[in-house]
Each structure stands twice: as structure tokens, then as C-alpha cells.
Amino acid sequence: MNKNLQSAIYKLPTTHYKLPTNKGFSLVEILIAIAVFIVGVATIGFLVMDSQVLTRQGLENTQATLLAKEGLEASRAMRDETWGGLTDGTHGLALSGGKWTFSGSSDTQDQFTRNVLVQTIDVQRKRVTSTVTWPFSPQHSEEVSLVTYLTNWYPSSTKWETSVLTSLLDLYSTENGLKVQMQGNYAY
């Protein structure tokens, strides 16, 4: 490096700046920082607790919905077994010998209580409501209720063994028979 450049660098003017003499933070600044920190921690804590409550509520709601669906399916199975087994009233369910039966006015599984309400609409139709309740907290209970309508699709008055075949049409080799027309109790 050349000597002129070196001497020019050493002769640069220097100024001394005095820093402010405030040492540390003021009490107000410290209190504001603590308040912001507490609000942030409390918000995170509430979010974590709320997510746990919502997760539990979702899980229990799913379990209750499955039990209510099971109540409707059990009623459907009893309808398929015998239409007369669907007696009106509020019932509990029991599985006996691989078949569903009504038992008492409700049944309990874990904290869930299920009852099945059967109501007659007319001779061939019934309304079935499966309701599941459970205590979510000491002050609050939850409920899931599902409804279906069942029909006596195999009425005892129908005697299929005495039915009469009035005609037969072979549609195997033709394009005929792709459309069905109903007239009264007959299909053409």
C-alpha cells in the first residue's frame, strides 16, 4: 500500500458522539412488556384448552351418532324379522341370541343413554326416532336424535305362493322391454 494513502487514512477526522445517559428501561416500559407477555400466554392457554374441549365434543358426538344409527338399524332388523315386533313406545335395545330386541325404556353404554321411540303412522308405516343423550359436563348435557320411517314391505296379507303368472315375454334377443309403463297395479 502506498505511504500517502496510509497517512490519509490515519488523518481522517474523528468525532465523538455522546450516547444518551438513560441507563436501562423505565418502570412503565417494563409493566407494558409484562402485560403484553401475560396476554399472549393467556391467549395461547385458552386456545389450547378450547381445542381440547372441541376435540372431546367432536369425539363424543361421533360416538353418539353411531349409537343412534345403531338404534335405527336395530329397529330395521326387528321390522325385517316381524312387523309386530315394532311395538309403539319408548324402548331400550338389547342383543339376544344374535337378534335385536326391545328391553326396558332405555339402554346405557359408557356414559351414553339411548332410547328408541316407535310411533305408528298408519297400518303399514311407523316412525322410529333414536335419541342418544350424555352428560358433557356437570352443567351441560348433549343429545343426538335421528329419525327414519319404516314400512311393512312384506305385509302378511300377501300370499306369494298363490300368485298367478298371467303372461311371459322373452326379451332376451330384442331391444324391447327397455321401458316400463305402469297402469294401476300392472306393469307393462
Side-chain angles (χ1 to χ4, degrees), residues 33-186:
I34 290 172
V36 167
F37 177 75
I38 288 173
V39 167
V41 169
T43 301
I44 291 171
F46 284 126
L47 287 174
V48 168
M49 288 187 314
D50 195 39
S51 70
Q52 289 175 346
V53 167
L54 289 175
T55 300
R56 179 178 155 229
Q57 187 176 25
L59 174 68
E60 290 179 1
N61 198 342
T62 300
Q63 290 173 322
T65 301
L66 291 174
L67 285 172
K69 283 182 181 180
E70 183 182 57
L72 296 180
E73 290 300 320
S75 300
R76 189 170 286 117
M78 287 189 289
R79 183 262 331 251
D80 292 346
E81 185 69 28
T82 174
W83 179 252
L86 282 178
T87 56
D88 285 359
T90 302
H91 310 283
L93 293 170
L95 195 58
S96 174
K99 294 183 181 184
W100 288 103
T101 60
F102 288 137
S103 174
S105 61
S106 66
D107 62 281
T108 303
Q109 294 183 20
D110 298 327
Q111 78 260 27
F112 301 98
T113 301
R114 171 178 55 198
N115 60 49
V116 177
L117 174 63
V118 179
Q119 299 167 306
T120 297
I121 296 173
D122 58 35
V123 177
Q124 300 298 328
R125 292 185 304 156
K126 294 192 183 246
R127 180 179 196 256
V128 179
T129 306
S130 180
T131 304
V132 177
T133 57
W134 72 99
F136 186 70
S137 68
Q139 302 85 13
H140 179 68
S141 65
E142 293 281 332
E143 177 179 292
V144 170
S145 190
L146 300 177
V147 176
T148 192
Y149 293 87
L150 299 178
T151 303
N152 186 9
W153 57 272
Y154 188 71
S156 60
S157 63
T158 304
K159 303 214 183 294
W160 293 103
E161 61 273 356
T162 61
S163 59
V164 177
L165 177 63
T166 57
S167 65
L168 180 64
L169 177 62
D170 180 14
L171 300 175
Y172 179 71
S173 60
T174 68
E175 291 293 317
N176 294 331
L178 296 178
K179 295 182 181 176
V180 176
Q181 182 179 2
M182 300 292 294
Q183 184 176 6
N185 290 333
Y186 299 98

